[in-house]
Amino acid sequence: MARLSIIRWLPQLVLGLSCLLLLSIWIATDSIAAGKTLTVATEPTFPPFEFQSVTGELQGFDIDLMNAIASSSGFRVKYQNMPFAGMIPALQTQTVDAAVAAMAITAERVKTISFSRPYFKSGVAIATRADNQNIINFDSLKNKTIGVQIGTTGAQKAKSIPGSEIRTFDDSPLTLQALINGNVDAVLNDQVVLLYGIKTGNLEKLKVVSSLLTEEFYGIPTPKGSPNLQAINQGIETVLKNGTYAKIYEKWFGIQPPQLPEKSPIENQAPKKGVSQLFTSLSIIFKSLPTLLNGALVTLELTAISVLLGMIGGTLIGIVRLFPTPPLPWIARAYVDFFRGTPLLVQIFMIYFGLPALAQNFGFTFTLNRLVAAVIALSLNCAAYIAEIVRAGIQSIEPGQTEASQSLGLSSVQTMRYVIFPQALRRMLPPLGNQFISLLKDTSLVAIIGFEELFRKGQLIVAENYRSFEIYATVALVYLFLTLLSSQALSRFERSLNPINKKKAN
Ligand code: ARG
C-alpha cells in the first residue's frame, strides 16, 4: 500500500525537481553575458558601507569605492540587492559578477570564491545595551544570548562562546533591533557599523564594549576564475595611488585611511578538481539530513500548537460571526479582515519586533520569546481562515434542519451540538486540511525572527557550506514529505468520519 502511493507520487516529484534544475541552469547561463557591465550584488542595510538614502538611492563607502574602481578600470556597474547570505551562492553560480558588501576575506570563503586585494581593515566587536553592566568583554558573553547576522564573521565568532545561545537574523538592522528590544543580550557585528549607528543617533540605547574580537580585511568577491578580477584589482590599485581612495575614506570616516597590505594574509585558492560532483552533492545532503530532520520536528511542533490554538480561536470567531445582533459579529468580521488582509510576514514582524518596541515607548519593557511570538502570529493568522471555514460550514446546512430540531424540542445549543455541527464538520474537513497544509508551509516564514525550524536550519547550513541547490532541494523534499504525509492522514480521517464507511466497519 505504502509502496503503491510512493509510486503514485513519483511523477509529480520528478517533474518538480526537473523544473528546479532547469530554472537554476537558466539563471546561471543568463549572467555570463554581462559583458562590460558588471552585475554587482550588495545588501544596502549596512551603513556606512552600503545603505539607501530616504529617496532610495544607494550610497556608502563600498558604493563610492566600487563606482570609482569601475570608472578607473572602464566598466559599468549594475547593482543588484540581495541578502548577504545569498551572495556567495550567487557568485558561485555566476548570477552576479562581484559583490560589495563589507565582506571579509576568510579561509572558508576563499574555498569557493576569489577575492580582490584587501580594501578595508575591520573587525568584529560586541554591542550591548547602554545600561548593561555585565557584558564587558568576550569572556563575559558566556551563557548569554547573542544576536548575529546569518552568514557573517560575527556569526562565526559567536560559535566559539561557551554555553551561548545564538540567534541569527537576516540583516544587521534586525539584529540590532532585537538587542534594543531585549531579545538578545549582545550582538557581534563589524565594529565600524556599530560605531556608525551609535554616532548617527540611530542606536543611542546601545554601546560598543571592549576591543576588536577579530581582525579582518574586506575584499571584493568574484566567482572563482573570474575574468573581471584583474580589472577590479587594477582599479583598486589606481584609486589607492591617485588619492581617490583617501578622499572616499575621509568622506565617510572623517580621518586619513590606514595603510593597507597589498595582499590578504588569506590567499585565493585554485578551484578543486577531480571529485565527482554527484558524489559531493550526495555526501552534502547526507551530512545535512540529521540537522534538517531536527528542524522538521520543530516545524511539526510549531504547526501542531498553532493549528490547535487556531482551531479553538477560529471556531469561536466563526460562531460569533453568525450571531444575529451586532456588535460582536462586526468585531469578528474586522478580525478576519485584518488577519486575512495583511501578509503573515508583516504580522510576524509586528508581533516580534513591533510590540516590544511600542511597549518601550510607553516606558515598560517586555520581550517575547521566539516560540511564543511565532505561535501567536501563526495561530492568530490561521484563526482568521478557520473562522471563515467554520462559518461557511455551518451556513451550508439547510435551515430546515434547525427548524426540524427545534420543533422536536431541542434548544439552540443542542441543535448546534447534535444536529448542525456534526454535519458541518464533515463539510469543513477538506478546507481545514488545506489550511493545515498551508500553515505547515507558512511556518517557514518565522525563520525571519531567527526561529530555527526546517527552512532556517537549511539557511544556516548554506551559510556555512554555500551549497544552496543541494540543501534547499532537500529542504523542499522534506516539506513535501511532511505535507504528503499530512494529506494522507487527513484523508484517512475524513474517510473514517463518513457514515457509510462507519457502517461498513461495523
Ligand atoms: N564583515 C562581515 C563579514 O564579512 C559582515 C558583513 C555583512 N555585510 C552586509 N552587507 N550585511 O561576514
Side-chain angles (χ1 to χ4, degrees):
M1 174 70 186
R3 253 226 323 271
L4 254 182
S5 33
I6 288 176
I7 292 172
R8 230 186 22 229
W9 300 332
L10 210 59
Q12 281 111 310
L13 253 170
V14 172
L15 189 74
L17 283 180
S18 335
C19 286
L20 268 175
L21 200 69
L22 276 180
L23 191 73
S24 56
I25 292 171
W26 172 71
I27 291 171
T29 44
D30 185 47
S31 63
I32 295 170
K36 269 275 165 201
T37 302
L38 300 195
T39 310
V40 176
T42 188
E43 190 211 35
T45 56
F46 212 58
F49 293 101
E50 41 269 335
F51 57 111
Q52 272 175 338
S53 69
V54 257
T55 52
E57 259 163 83
L58 268 182
Q59 54 182 354
F61 175 83
D62 278 358
I63 305 296
D64 285 351
L65 183 68
M66 190 70 209
N67 290 341
I69 294 170
S71 66
S72 94
S73 286
F75 59 83
R76 276 191 304 272
V77 176
K78 199 176 100 210
Y79 290 102
Q80 199 176 91
N81 286 1
M82 75 171 56
F84 184 73
M87 287 179 190
I88 295 182
L91 286 162
Q92 281 178 316
T93 55
Q94 305 188 8
T95 308
V96 293
D97 301 302
V100 272
M103 191 183 285
I105 306 170
T106 69
E108 258 321 295
R109 291 174 183 161
V110 296
K111 285 186 192 152
T112 50
I113 50 173
S114 296
F115 281 95
S116 69
R117 58 177 285 173
Y119 73 82
F120 194 88
K121 186 175 169 201
S122 170
V124 168
I126 305 167
T128 185
R129 279 180 297 282
D131 56 8
N132 187 326
Q133 308 301 331
N134 304 325
I135 295 178
I136 43 169
N137 52 23
F138 188 65
D139 288 334
S140 55
L141 291 177
K142 248 183 233 163
N143 304 323
K144 295 279 187 311
T145 313
I146 315 292
V148 291
Q149 184 187 354
I150 189 166
T152 59
T153 43
Q156 200 59 34
K157 186 71 191 164
K159 282 193 197 141
S160 61
I161 306 167
S164 67
E165 195 187 317
I166 302 175
R167 306 256 165 107
T168 49
F169 296 91
D170 285 6
D171 60 35
S172 156
L174 287 181
T175 317
L176 295 166
Q177 184 64 55
L179 179 60
I180 295 172
N181 287 2
N183 289 320
V184 297
D185 301 316
V187 158
L188 296 194
N189 200 345
D190 295 20
Q191 189 196 40
V192 181
V193 172
L194 295 172
L195 291 176
Y196 186 85
I198 293 172
K199 200 180 82 192
T200 49
N202 296 329
L203 305 169
E204 75 263 3
K205 288 178 185 149
L206 304 184
K207 64 177 174 189
V208 175
V209 291
S210 88
S211 47
L212 290 180
L213 306 180
T214 60
E215 179 182 271
E216 54 188 46
F217 288 101
Y218 297 162
I220 297 174
T222 58
K224 262 214 183 308
S226 160
N228 307 314
L229 187 57
Q230 216 201 325
I232 293 174
N233 273 330
Q234 193 62 51
I236 298 181
E237 187 162 343
T238 315
V239 297
L240 276 171
K241 282 209 177 117
N242 69 13
T244 316
Y245 179 89
K247 248 191 239 146
I248 299 174
Y249 198 100
E250 261 195 80
K251 169 180 168 192
W252 290 102
F253 305 107
I255 48 169
Q256 282 293 310
Q259 199 61 35
L260 278 175
E262 225 169 88
K263 266 190 171 174
S264 152
I266 302 161
E267 299 218 12
N268 287 327
Q269 288 178 8
K272 271 201 198 116
K273 283 196 195 104
V275 195
S276 141
Q277 264 304 316
L278 183 67
F279 179 75
T280 341
S281 298
L282 284 179
S283 85
I284 282 165
I285 292 175
F286 199 68
K287 257 200 249 154
S288 65
L289 260 185
T291 316
L292 292 181
L293 291 182
N294 207 313
L297 272 184
V298 181
T299 292
L300 279 180
E301 189 188 336
L302 197 59
T303 313
I305 305 177
S306 309
V307 118
L308 190 76
L309 295 178
M311 284 284 270
I312 299 172
T315 312
L316 290 178
I317 298 164
I319 292 175
V320 166
R321 277 210 60 187
L322 293 169
F323 280 9
T325 40
L328 282 182
W330 291 352
I331 300 174
R333 171 76 202 253
Y335 176 92
V336 171
D337 281 344
F338 180 79
F339 282 96
R340 244 186 4 180
T342 52
L344 177 54
L345 194 60
V346 178
Q347 294 163 17
I348 295 171
F349 267 84
M350 264 176 52
I351 290 170
Y352 189 68
F353 293 109
L355 283 188
L358 181 74
Q360 270 185 19
N361 288 346
F362 286 106
F364 53 95
T365 328
F366 87 97
T367 60
L368 274 180
N369 166 295
R370 276 179 305 177
L371 176 68
V372 175
V375 165
I376 294 180
L378 289 171
S379 41
L380 284 180
N381 183 274
C382 103
Y385 288 92
I386 291 181
E388 284 302 276
I389 296 174
V390 170
R391 180 184 63 87
I394 293 175
Q395 278 180 333
S396 74
I397 307 295
E398 303 71 28
Q401 301 230 6
T402 315
E403 286 154 21
S405 357
Q406 270 158 11
S407 67
L408 285 175
L410 296 186
S411 71
S412 47
V413 175
Q414 282 172 326
T415 309
M416 189 51 112
R417 163 93 177 69
Y418 297 109
V419 181
I420 310 291
F421 208 75
Q423 300 183 70
L425 184 66
R426 271 193 53 218
R427 297 192 186 169
M428 286 177 326
L429 269 188
L432 280 179
N434 279 345
Q435 189 51 41
F436 180 84
I437 287 172
S438 309
L439 183 74
L440 200 150
K441 293 180 295 174
D442 284 349
T443 53
S444 58
L445 289 175
V446 301
I448 201 85
I449 57 175
F451 195 84
E452 288 181 22
E453 37 62 73
L454 175 55
F455 175 57
R456 189 53 155 206
K457 289 270 192 213
Q459 279 186 312
L460 287 168
I461 298 176
V462 174
E464 256 180 37
N465 68 7
Y466 311 119
R467 306 295 296 225
S468 17
F469 183 72
E470 289 91 340
I471 300 299
Y472 291 132
T474 317
V475 167
L477 283 181
V478 178
Y479 273 116
L480 186 63
F481 177 75
L482 291 182
T483 50
L484 288 177
L485 208 70
S486 331
S487 62
Q488 280 286 320
L490 285 165
S491 45
R492 230 169 246 201
F493 183 53
E494 233 173 85
R495 254 179 280 137
S496 76
L497 281 192
N498 189 334
I500 299 171
N501 287 348
K502 264 195 203 157
K503 252 189 224 144
K504 268 190 209 155
N506 289 336

